[in-house]
Amino acid sequence: MKINFTTVLLLLCVLGVCNFGYAQKEALDRAHANYENFQFVESQKTYLNLVEQGYASEEIFTKLGNTYYFNAQYQDATTWYNRLFELNAEVKPLILLRYSQALKATGDSIKAKKMYNAYIAKTNTSTFSKKAVDYLELVKKNSGRYQLQPLEAVYDINNISYGHTKLGNKLIYASTKTINSFSNTKSAWDGLGFLSLFEIPLNAENIAVGKPKKMRGRLNSKFHDSSPVYTKDGNTVYFTRNNNTSKNKENTQNLKIYRAQRKGKTWQKPEELKFNSDFYSSAHPALSPDEERLYFASNRPGGFGESDIYLVRIAEDGSLSAPLNLGPEVNTEGKETFPFVSKNNALYFSSDGHFGLGGLDVFYVEIDEENESFGQLFNVGAPVNSYADDFAFGIDSATKRGFVSSNRSKREGVFVYDNIYSFLETTPIIDVYKAEINGFVTNLQASEPIKGATITFTDTEGEKHTVKTNEDGFFSSDINRFKEYTIRASHDLYDIDEKTSESRLDVQRINFQLQKNKEKIISGADLAKVLNIPNIYFDFDKSKIRPDAKVELSKIIAAFNLYPQLKLNIRSHTDSRGNDSYNKALSERRALSIFNYLVSKGVDKNRLKYEGLGESELINSCSNGVKCSEANHQKNRRAEFVIWN
């Protein structure tokens, strides 16, 4: 009979791949026990050993890529993902995403973009870029939290009035209500009189109990004066004034921030702050609660848009640092202006660059001074915001009362000059981006909870955060409801697993079942259990190594390569059929057969010993004279690999 050697070789390769797949899938599905069970200590090195032996499959390359990806070894990850694509370009969407991120991390932005686009196409998702309908939904969620009404004592549709600063029981605000007593000159900006500082007494509910009065002294000039903010002791004020130091008339239209000190009842001559310029504006100062930071708006060069929010640090001697732009989390290509910082360190400001209801809208963001960062940005909603310009927002964190200015009219859709509105905040702002992902992490084999598992959330921009499971294996985390996350469950003793969340869900449950892959390798332990080897089986009355046993023994060989000090005692067992002395001899032949096979594969014989125990240690009731099925007898025909020193 003529045998085709090529056919035999191909058949052997196919059998090798099938056996490998069987080892992989066994732990996941008992019905396909021959396609699993390659999850054990130092699996990555074992995979590499198998590849060197000629094994090649999508599963091997995927898991190799994943093992490197999980450990942030992105260059190696791209190597194995690339080999995966050479086998099959139609991979799972999650692998596309991981491949894209690995490519991006290694600087291959062009290919990374290609892979990410393929991921988007497969999953029909988009990056975190909300449409107007999404923004409108978010604004709606934070609307209706204020009771708003005009401050009737200063309301005048023919003049500008704005401001929110309270000094004692008085509101200090700016208005064009009367022509400056020093000059009848009108502003070139709007044809009205220049802004001057006024004061009006209010009761505890911010209702006027007196008439407006222009403030006397040096805080008012013949040009614009507005936006004052006072220190807690009331002896220092920062405010906005026209640039009146330039000889160029065009430059006088710019704004500057001044500081004045009070001695007794008299304000001293205001000083111009050093970061001002004749060539751009700085305006609308705001103090942090500790009075160590001064926030302001400016259209100075180097910003993100028309005007940005900046801060300077105030030293104990009153000197100021260089201005620092608050960055793209706050500033846009549009206009950001009129900052205000509440007592609980939240920044409010007006913007037409972030999505709003019309014109300037008021926005809110928490300040994290320690980490020099900000929380999530929110539109404060209607009725504070409207179709018109809404700005100069200020609130007392204790009383929840405050003021906002707007050029809205009492008649919807009609614009007038700016006027002041008082408000009461009835409910706190809602984190409209917040959603929740929770779930349980359990042991795949025993369905027991896994305490202390690390759950890592990674968004599409690569930002990460982690939580731990509790004693019940439960985890919960707040996430951004508009983002998708790759969620990884990991534990030192278990295989890693990853899943992907959905966006735009308020709450979602994602559970994990992890395959145990690591046990303590100690003297007396059975390495077969450590490596999840189901068994080394022999045919009835035979001692020859079966093909399936060779696959399992390759794991033992890999363990010897990984652990140079490892020594094993091969203990062979038989079933009860046949007499005791014969079974004793048969088990010794089987143990010797395994011994010789391992030595033939390069294992030092001095690291091995063997013994045949016959039927002396049965693991079930199938002893002499007991009728049992072939399957139950098979369970006794086994080998153990006991670690010894």
Short mmCIF file of all heavy atoms in Angstrom, two decimals, residues 541-599:
data_model
loop_
_atom_site.label_atom_id
_atom_site.label_comp_id
_atom_site.label_asym_id
_atom_site.label_seq_id
_atom_site.Cartn_x
_atom_site.Cartn_y
_atom_site.Cartn_z
N ASP A 541 -5.85 -2.12 29.75
CA ASP A 541 -4.78 -3.11 29.72
C ASP A 541 -3.60 -2.69 28.85
O ASP A 541 -2.85 -3.53 28.36
CB ASP A 541 -5.32 -4.48 29.25
CG ASP A 541 -4.42 -5.63 29.68
OD1 ASP A 541 -3.74 -5.48 30.73
OD2 ASP A 541 -4.38 -6.65 28.97
N LYS A 542 -3.44 -1.35 28.63
CA LYS A 542 -2.35 -0.85 27.79
C LYS A 542 -1.50 0.14 28.59
O LYS A 542 -1.98 0.77 29.53
CB LYS A 542 -2.89 -0.14 26.54
CG LYS A 542 -3.79 -1.01 25.66
CD LYS A 542 -3.00 -2.12 24.98
CE LYS A 542 -3.91 -2.93 24.04
NZ LYS A 542 -3.18 -4.05 23.39
N SER A 543 -0.25 0.28 28.17
CA SER A 543 0.64 1.27 28.80
C SER A 543 1.22 2.25 27.78
O SER A 543 2.07 3.08 28.11
CB SER A 543 1.79 0.55 29.52
OG SER A 543 2.56 -0.22 28.59
N LYS A 544 0.75 2.20 26.54
CA LYS A 544 1.23 3.08 25.49
C LYS A 544 0.62 4.47 25.64
O LYS A 544 -0.57 4.61 25.94
CB LYS A 544 0.89 2.49 24.12
CG LYS A 544 1.44 3.30 22.96
CD LYS A 544 1.08 2.63 21.62
CE LYS A 544 1.62 3.45 20.46
NZ LYS A 544 1.27 2.82 19.15
N ILE A 545 1.44 5.52 25.41
CA ILE A 545 0.96 6.91 25.51
C ILE A 545 0.00 7.20 24.36
O ILE A 545 0.36 7.06 23.18
CB ILE A 545 2.14 7.90 25.46
CG1 ILE A 545 3.14 7.61 26.56
CG2 ILE A 545 1.63 9.34 25.56
CD1 ILE A 545 2.61 7.81 27.95
N ARG A 546 -1.23 7.60 24.70
CA ARG A 546 -2.22 7.93 23.67
C ARG A 546 -1.96 9.32 23.10
O ARG A 546 -1.34 10.17 23.75
CB ARG A 546 -3.64 7.88 24.26
CG ARG A 546 -4.02 6.49 24.68
CD ARG A 546 -5.43 6.29 25.18
NE ARG A 546 -6.28 7.43 25.42
CZ ARG A 546 -7.50 7.33 25.96
NH1 ARG A 546 -7.97 6.13 26.31
NH2 ARG A 546 -8.23 8.39 26.15
N PRO A 547 -2.44 9.62 21.86
CA PRO A 547 -2.23 10.96 21.27
C PRO A 547 -2.79 12.09 22.13
O PRO A 547 -2.16 13.14 22.24
CB PRO A 547 -2.97 10.85 19.92
CG PRO A 547 -2.92 9.40 19.58
CD PRO A 547 -3.05 8.68 20.89
N ASP A 548 -3.97 11.88 22.72
CA ASP A 548 -4.53 12.95 23.54
C ASP A 548 -3.68 13.18 24.78
O ASP A 548 -3.57 14.29 25.29
CB ASP A 548 -5.99 12.66 23.90
CG ASP A 548 -6.14 11.37 24.69
OD1 ASP A 548 -5.27 10.48 24.57
OD2 ASP A 548 -7.15 11.24 25.42
N ALA A 549 -3.05 12.10 25.28
CA ALA A 549 -2.18 12.23 26.44
C ALA A 549 -0.94 13.05 26.10
O ALA A 549 -0.42 13.79 26.95
CB ALA A 549 -1.78 10.85 26.96
N LYS A 550 -0.44 12.94 24.88
CA LYS A 550 0.74 13.71 24.48
C LYS A 550 0.46 15.21 24.53
O LYS A 550 1.34 16.00 24.88
CB LYS A 550 1.19 13.29 23.08
CG LYS A 550 1.75 11.87 23.02
CD LYS A 550 2.20 11.51 21.61
CE LYS A 550 2.76 10.09 21.57
NZ LYS A 550 3.21 9.70 20.21
N VAL A 551 -0.76 15.59 24.15
CA VAL A 551 -1.12 17.01 24.22
C VAL A 551 -1.07 17.50 25.67
O VAL A 551 -0.52 18.56 25.97
CB VAL A 551 -2.53 17.26 23.63
CG1 VAL A 551 -2.95 18.71 23.85
CG2 VAL A 551 -2.53 16.93 22.15
N GLU A 552 -1.62 16.70 26.58
CA GLU A 552 -1.62 17.10 27.99
C GLU A 552 -0.21 17.08 28.57
O GLU A 552 0.15 17.93 29.38
CB GLU A 552 -2.54 16.18 28.79
CG GLU A 552 -3.98 16.11 28.28
CD GLU A 552 -4.64 17.47 28.18
OE1 GLU A 552 -4.23 18.39 28.90
OE2 GLU A 552 -5.56 17.63 27.35
N LEU A 553 0.61 16.11 28.15
CA LEU A 553 1.98 16.03 28.65
C LEU A 553 2.83 17.20 28.16
O LEU A 553 3.83 17.55 28.79
CB LEU A 553 2.62 14.70 28.22
CG LEU A 553 2.10 13.46 28.96
CD1 LEU A 553 2.69 12.18 28.35
CD2 LEU A 553 2.42 13.54 30.44
N SER A 554 2.42 17.83 27.05
CA SER A 554 3.15 19.02 26.58
C SER A 554 3.05 20.15 27.61
O SER A 554 3.96 20.98 27.73
CB SER A 554 2.62 19.48 25.23
OG SER A 554 1.30 20.02 25.35
N LYS A 555 1.97 20.16 28.37
CA LYS A 555 1.83 21.17 29.43
C LYS A 555 2.81 20.89 30.57
O LYS A 555 3.38 21.81 31.16
CB LYS A 555 0.40 21.18 29.95
CG LYS A 555 -0.65 21.43 28.88
CD LYS A 555 -2.06 21.27 29.44
CE LYS A 555 -3.11 21.38 28.35
NZ LYS A 555 -4.48 21.19 28.88
N ILE A 556 2.99 19.60 30.88
CA ILE A 556 3.97 19.22 31.91
C ILE A 556 5.37 19.63 31.46
O ILE A 556 6.17 20.17 32.24
CB ILE A 556 3.91 17.70 32.18
CG1 ILE A 556 2.51 17.29 32.65
CG2 ILE A 556 4.97 17.29 33.18
CD1 ILE A 556 2.11 17.84 33.99
N ILE A 557 5.67 19.39 30.21
CA ILE A 557 6.99 19.77 29.66
C ILE A 557 7.18 21.27 29.74
O ILE A 557 8.25 21.77 30.12
CB ILE A 557 7.12 19.28 28.20
CG1 ILE A 557 7.08 17.74 28.16
CG2 ILE A 557 8.40 19.80 27.57
CD1 ILE A 557 6.92 17.16 26.76
N ALA A 558 6.13 22.03 29.40
CA ALA A 558 6.22 23.49 29.49
C ALA A 558 6.47 23.94 30.92
O ALA A 558 7.23 24.88 31.17
CB ALA A 558 4.93 24.12 28.95
N ALA A 559 5.83 23.26 31.88
CA ALA A 559 6.03 23.61 33.29
C ALA A 559 7.46 23.37 33.72
O ALA A 559 8.05 24.16 34.48
CB ALA A 559 5.06 22.82 34.16
N PHE A 560 8.07 22.28 33.25
CA PHE A 560 9.48 22.02 33.56
C PHE A 560 10.37 23.13 33.01
O PHE A 560 11.36 23.52 33.64
CB PHE A 560 9.91 20.66 32.99
CG PHE A 560 9.66 19.50 33.90
CD1 PHE A 560 8.63 18.61 33.66
CD2 PHE A 560 10.46 19.30 35.02
CE1 PHE A 560 8.39 17.55 34.50
CE2 PHE A 560 10.23 18.23 35.87
CZ PHE A 560 9.19 17.35 35.63
N ASN A 561 10.04 23.63 31.83
CA ASN A 561 10.83 24.71 31.23
C ASN A 561 10.67 26.02 32.00
O ASN A 561 11.60 26.82 32.08
CB ASN A 561 10.43 24.92 29.78
CG ASN A 561 10.78 23.73 28.90
OD1 ASN A 561 11.74 23.01 29.19
ND2 ASN A 561 10.02 23.52 27.83
N LEU A 562 9.48 26.23 32.56
CA LEU A 562 9.20 27.47 33.28
C LEU A 562 9.78 27.47 34.69
O LEU A 562 10.14 28.52 35.22
CB LEU A 562 7.69 27.72 33.34
CG LEU A 562 6.99 28.00 32.01
CD1 LEU A 562 5.48 28.07 32.22
CD2 LEU A 562 7.50 29.29 31.39
N TYR A 563 9.84 26.29 35.30
CA TYR A 563 10.28 26.19 36.69
C TYR A 563 11.50 25.26 36.77
O TYR A 563 11.35 24.03 36.89
CB TYR A 563 9.15 25.67 37.57
CG TYR A 563 7.93 26.56 37.55
CD1 TYR A 563 6.82 26.25 36.74
CD2 TYR A 563 7.88 27.71 38.33
CE1 TYR A 563 5.72 27.08 36.72
CE2 TYR A 563 6.77 28.53 38.31
CZ TYR A 563 5.69 28.22 37.50
OH TYR A 563 4.59 29.03 37.49
N PRO A 564 12.70 25.80 36.75
CA PRO A 564 13.92 24.98 36.72
C PRO A 564 14.09 24.08 37.94
O PRO A 564 14.78 23.06 37.87
CB PRO A 564 15.05 26.02 36.64
CG PRO A 564 14.40 27.24 36.09
CD PRO A 564 13.01 27.23 36.61
N GLN A 565 13.47 24.45 39.09
CA GLN A 565 13.61 23.65 40.31
C GLN A 565 12.51 22.60 40.46
O GLN A 565 12.50 21.85 41.44
CB GLN A 565 13.59 24.59 41.53
CG GLN A 565 14.61 25.72 41.48
CD GLN A 565 16.03 25.19 41.34
OE1 GLN A 565 16.40 24.22 41.99
NE2 GLN A 565 16.82 25.82 40.49
N LEU A 566 11.61 22.54 39.52
CA LEU A 566 10.48 21.63 39.64
C LEU A 566 10.91 20.17 39.53
O LEU A 566 11.68 19.79 38.63
CB LEU A 566 9.45 21.96 38.54
CG LEU A 566 8.19 21.08 38.50
CD1 LEU A 566 7.36 21.28 39.75
CD2 LEU A 566 7.37 21.40 37.24
N LYS A 567 10.41 19.33 40.46
CA LYS A 567 10.61 17.89 40.41
C LYS A 567 9.26 17.21 40.59
O LYS A 567 8.43 17.67 41.37
CB LYS A 567 11.57 17.44 41.52
CG LYS A 567 12.99 17.97 41.38
CD LYS A 567 13.87 17.46 42.51
CE LYS A 567 15.30 17.99 42.37
NZ LYS A 567 16.18 17.50 43.46
N LEU A 568 9.07 16.10 39.88
CA LEU A 568 7.77 15.44 39.90
C LEU A 568 7.90 13.94 40.16
O LEU A 568 8.84 13.28 39.68
CB LEU A 568 7.04 15.63 38.56
CG LEU A 568 6.55 17.03 38.20
CD1 LEU A 568 5.83 16.98 36.85
CD2 LEU A 568 5.63 17.57 39.27
N ASN A 569 6.95 13.44 40.92
CA ASN A 569 6.78 12.00 41.12
C ASN A 569 5.57 11.55 40.30
O ASN A 569 4.44 12.00 40.55
CB ASN A 569 6.58 11.69 42.60
CG ASN A 569 6.41 10.20 42.84
OD1 ASN A 569 6.85 9.38 42.04
ND2 ASN A 569 5.76 9.85 43.95
N ILE A 570 5.81 10.70 39.31
CA ILE A 570 4.73 10.21 38.45
C ILE A 570 4.08 9.02 39.16
O ILE A 570 4.73 7.99 39.40
CB ILE A 570 5.27 9.78 37.08
CG1 ILE A 570 6.03 10.93 36.42
CG2 ILE A 570 4.13 9.29 36.18
CD1 ILE A 570 6.87 10.48 35.24
N ARG A 571 2.81 9.16 39.49
CA ARG A 571 2.09 8.10 40.20
C ARG A 571 0.98 7.58 39.27
O ARG A 571 0.06 8.30 38.92
CB ARG A 571 1.50 8.64 41.50
CG ARG A 571 2.54 9.27 42.39
CD ARG A 571 1.91 9.92 43.63
NE ARG A 571 1.63 8.95 44.67
CZ ARG A 571 0.42 8.64 45.13
NH1 ARG A 571 -0.65 9.21 44.59
NH2 ARG A 571 0.26 7.77 46.09
N SER A 572 1.09 6.31 38.89
CA SER A 572 0.15 5.72 37.94
C SER A 572 -0.82 4.79 38.67
O SER A 572 -0.43 4.08 39.61
CB SER A 572 0.90 4.95 36.86
OG SER A 572 0.00 4.36 35.96
N HIS A 573 -2.08 4.81 38.20
CA HIS A 573 -3.14 4.00 38.82
C HIS A 573 -3.87 3.19 37.75
O HIS A 573 -3.96 3.61 36.58
CB HIS A 573 -4.16 4.89 39.54
CG HIS A 573 -3.55 5.79 40.58
ND1 HIS A 573 -3.48 5.47 41.91
CD2 HIS A 573 -2.98 7.02 40.46
CE1 HIS A 573 -2.91 6.45 42.59
NE2 HIS A 573 -2.59 7.41 41.73
N THR A 574 -4.43 2.07 38.16
CA THR A 574 -5.26 1.25 37.27
C THR A 574 -6.66 1.15 37.85
O THR A 574 -6.93 1.57 38.97
CB THR A 574 -4.69 -0.17 37.12
OG1 THR A 574 -4.82 -0.84 38.38
CG2 THR A 574 -3.23 -0.15 36.71
N ASP A 575 -7.56 0.53 37.05
CA ASP A 575 -8.87 0.21 37.60
C ASP A 575 -8.77 -1.14 38.34
O ASP A 575 -7.69 -1.73 38.44
CB ASP A 575 -9.95 0.20 36.52
CG ASP A 575 -9.69 -0.81 35.42
OD1 ASP A 575 -9.20 -1.92 35.73
OD2 ASP A 575 -9.99 -0.50 34.24
N SER A 576 -9.87 -1.62 38.85
CA SER A 576 -9.85 -2.81 39.72
C SER A 576 -9.93 -4.13 38.97
O SER A 576 -9.79 -5.20 39.58
CB SER A 576 -11.01 -2.73 40.72
OG SER A 576 -12.25 -2.75 40.03
N ARG A 577 -10.16 -4.07 37.68
CA ARG A 577 -10.30 -5.31 36.92
C ARG A 577 -8.93 -6.00 36.78
O ARG A 577 -7.92 -5.34 36.55
CB ARG A 577 -10.92 -5.02 35.55
CG ARG A 577 -12.38 -4.59 35.65
CD ARG A 577 -12.95 -4.20 34.31
NE ARG A 577 -12.37 -2.96 33.80
CZ ARG A 577 -12.74 -2.38 32.66
NH1 ARG A 577 -13.71 -2.94 31.93
NH2 ARG A 577 -12.17 -1.27 32.27
N GLY A 578 -8.92 -7.30 36.90
CA GLY A 578 -7.67 -8.05 36.92
C GLY A 578 -7.20 -8.21 38.35
O GLY A 578 -7.67 -7.55 39.28
N ASN A 579 -6.19 -9.11 38.54
CA ASN A 579 -5.74 -9.31 39.91
C ASN A 579 -4.82 -8.19 40.36
O ASN A 579 -4.25 -7.46 39.54
CB ASN A 579 -5.09 -10.70 40.07
CG ASN A 579 -3.81 -10.81 39.22
OD1 ASN A 579 -2.87 -10.05 39.39
ND2 ASN A 579 -3.80 -11.79 38.31
N ASP A 580 -4.63 -8.10 41.67
CA ASP A 580 -3.91 -6.96 42.24
C ASP A 580 -2.46 -6.89 41.78
O ASP A 580 -1.94 -5.81 41.47
CB ASP A 580 -3.97 -7.03 43.76
CG ASP A 580 -5.38 -6.82 44.31
OD1 ASP A 580 -6.27 -6.53 43.49
OD2 ASP A 580 -5.58 -6.94 45.53
N SER A 581 -1.80 -8.05 41.74
CA SER A 581 -0.37 -8.03 41.37
C SER A 581 -0.19 -7.63 39.91
O SER A 581 0.75 -6.90 39.55
CB SER A 581 0.25 -9.41 41.63
OG SER A 581 -0.41 -10.41 40.86
N TYR A 582 -1.11 -8.12 39.05
CA TYR A 582 -1.02 -7.73 37.64
C TYR A 582 -1.23 -6.22 37.48
O TYR A 582 -0.51 -5.55 36.74
CB TYR A 582 -2.06 -8.48 36.82
CG TYR A 582 -2.06 -8.07 35.35
CD1 TYR A 582 -1.15 -8.62 34.46
CD2 TYR A 582 -2.97 -7.12 34.88
CE1 TYR A 582 -1.13 -8.24 33.13
CE2 TYR A 582 -2.96 -6.73 33.55
CZ TYR A 582 -2.04 -7.29 32.68
OH TYR A 582 -2.02 -6.90 31.36
N ASN A 583 -2.23 -5.67 38.18
CA ASN A 583 -2.50 -4.23 38.09
C ASN A 583 -1.34 -3.41 38.63
O ASN A 583 -1.04 -2.33 38.12
CB ASN A 583 -3.79 -3.90 38.84
CG ASN A 583 -5.02 -4.34 38.07
OD1 ASN A 583 -4.97 -4.48 36.86
ND2 ASN A 583 -6.12 -4.56 38.78
N LYS A 584 -0.70 -3.94 39.67
CA LYS A 584 0.47 -3.25 40.21
C LYS A 584 1.56 -3.15 39.14
O LYS A 584 2.15 -2.09 38.92
CB LYS A 584 0.98 -4.01 41.43
CG LYS A 584 2.31 -3.54 41.98
CD LYS A 584 2.20 -2.23 42.72
CE LYS A 584 3.53 -1.94 43.44
NZ LYS A 584 3.55 -0.60 44.03
N ALA A 585 1.81 -4.24 38.45
CA ALA A 585 2.83 -4.25 37.40
C ALA A 585 2.42 -3.37 36.22
O ALA A 585 3.24 -2.65 35.64
CB ALA A 585 3.09 -5.69 36.94
N LEU A 586 1.13 -3.40 35.85
CA LEU A 586 0.65 -2.57 34.74
C LEU A 586 0.82 -1.09 35.05
O LEU A 586 1.26 -0.31 34.19
CB LEU A 586 -0.83 -2.88 34.46
CG LEU A 586 -1.51 -2.02 33.38
CD1 LEU A 586 -0.83 -2.20 32.04
CD2 LEU A 586 -3.00 -2.37 33.30
N SER A 587 0.49 -0.69 36.26
CA SER A 587 0.63 0.72 36.62
C SER A 587 2.09 1.16 36.61
O SER A 587 2.41 2.29 36.26
CB SER A 587 0.00 0.98 37.99
OG SER A 587 0.70 0.30 39.01
N GLU A 588 3.00 0.23 36.99
CA GLU A 588 4.42 0.57 36.94
C GLU A 588 4.88 0.76 35.51
O GLU A 588 5.68 1.65 35.21
CB GLU A 588 5.23 -0.52 37.63
CG GLU A 588 5.06 -0.53 39.15
CD GLU A 588 5.81 -1.67 39.81
OE1 GLU A 588 6.30 -2.57 39.08
OE2 GLU A 588 5.89 -1.68 41.06
N ARG A 589 4.38 -0.10 34.59
CA ARG A 589 4.73 0.07 33.18
C ARG A 589 4.20 1.40 32.64
O ARG A 589 4.87 2.08 31.85
CB ARG A 589 4.17 -1.10 32.35
CG ARG A 589 4.83 -2.44 32.63
CD ARG A 589 4.53 -3.45 31.53
NE ARG A 589 3.11 -3.68 31.33
CZ ARG A 589 2.40 -4.57 32.02
NH1 ARG A 589 2.98 -5.30 32.98
NH2 ARG A 589 1.11 -4.74 31.75
N ARG A 590 2.99 1.78 33.05
CA ARG A 590 2.42 3.06 32.60
C ARG A 590 3.22 4.24 33.14
O ARG A 590 3.48 5.22 32.42
CB ARG A 590 0.96 3.16 33.05
CG ARG A 590 0.04 2.24 32.26
CD ARG A 590 -1.38 2.26 32.80
NE ARG A 590 -2.29 1.50 31.93
CZ ARG A 590 -3.56 1.25 32.23
NH1 ARG A 590 -4.07 1.70 33.38
NH2 ARG A 590 -4.31 0.57 31.40
N ALA A 591 3.60 4.18 34.40
CA ALA A 591 4.40 5.26 34.98
C ALA A 591 5.74 5.37 34.27
O ALA A 591 6.23 6.47 33.98
CB ALA A 591 4.59 5.02 36.47
N LEU A 592 6.36 4.20 34.00
CA LEU A 592 7.63 4.20 33.29
C LEU A 592 7.46 4.74 31.87
O LEU A 592 8.34 5.45 31.36
CB LEU A 592 8.18 2.77 33.23
CG LEU A 592 9.50 2.59 32.46
CD1 LEU A 592 10.61 3.44 33.09
CD2 LEU A 592 9.90 1.11 32.42
N SER A 593 6.33 4.43 31.24
CA SER A 593 6.07 4.93 29.89
C SER A 593 6.03 6.46 29.88
O SER A 593 6.60 7.11 28.99
CB SER A 593 4.75 4.36 29.37
OG SER A 593 4.48 4.82 28.06
N ILE A 594 5.35 7.05 30.88
CA ILE A 594 5.30 8.52 30.98
C ILE A 594 6.69 9.06 31.27
O ILE A 594 7.13 10.06 30.68
CB ILE A 594 4.30 8.94 32.07
CG1 ILE A 594 2.88 8.54 31.67
CG2 ILE A 594 4.37 10.45 32.31
CD1 ILE A 594 1.85 8.77 32.77
N PHE A 595 7.42 8.39 32.18
CA PHE A 595 8.78 8.80 32.52
C PHE A 595 9.65 8.85 31.26
O PHE A 595 10.33 9.85 31.00
CB PHE A 595 9.34 7.82 33.55
CG PHE A 595 10.77 8.05 33.92
CD1 PHE A 595 11.11 8.86 35.00
CD2 PHE A 595 11.80 7.46 33.19
CE1 PHE A 595 12.44 9.07 35.35
CE2 PHE A 595 13.13 7.66 33.52
CZ PHE A 595 13.45 8.48 34.61
N ASN A 596 9.63 7.79 30.50
CA ASN A 596 10.47 7.72 29.30
C ASN A 596 10.05 8.76 28.26
O ASN A 596 10.90 9.34 27.57
CB ASN A 596 10.40 6.32 28.69
CG ASN A 596 11.12 5.29 29.55
OD1 ASN A 596 12.04 5.63 30.29
ND2 ASN A 596 10.69 4.03 29.46
N TYR A 597 8.75 9.00 28.15
CA TYR A 597 8.28 10.00 27.17
C TYR A 597 8.79 11.39 27.55
O TYR A 597 9.28 12.14 26.68
CB TYR A 597 6.75 10.00 27.10
CG TYR A 597 6.20 11.01 26.12
CD1 TYR A 597 6.16 10.74 24.75
CD2 TYR A 597 5.76 12.26 26.54
CE1 TYR A 597 5.68 11.66 23.84
CE2 TYR A 597 5.28 13.20 25.64
CZ TYR A 597 5.24 12.90 24.29
OH TYR A 597 4.78 13.83 23.39
N LEU A 598 8.68 11.75 28.82
CA LEU A 598 9.14 13.07 29.26
C LEU A 598 10.65 13.22 29.08
O LEU A 598 11.14 14.27 28.66
CB LEU A 598 8.74 13.31 30.72
CG LEU A 598 7.24 13.43 30.98
CD1 LEU A 598 6.98 13.60 32.48
CD2 LEU A 598 6.63 14.60 30.21
N VAL A 599 11.40 12.16 29.39
CA VAL A 599 12.85 12.20 29.20
C VAL A 599 13.19 12.36 27.73
O VAL A 599 14.11 13.11 27.35
CB VAL A 599 13.51 10.93 29.79
CG1 VAL A 599 14.99 10.87 29.41
CG2 VAL A 599 13.36 10.91 31.31
#
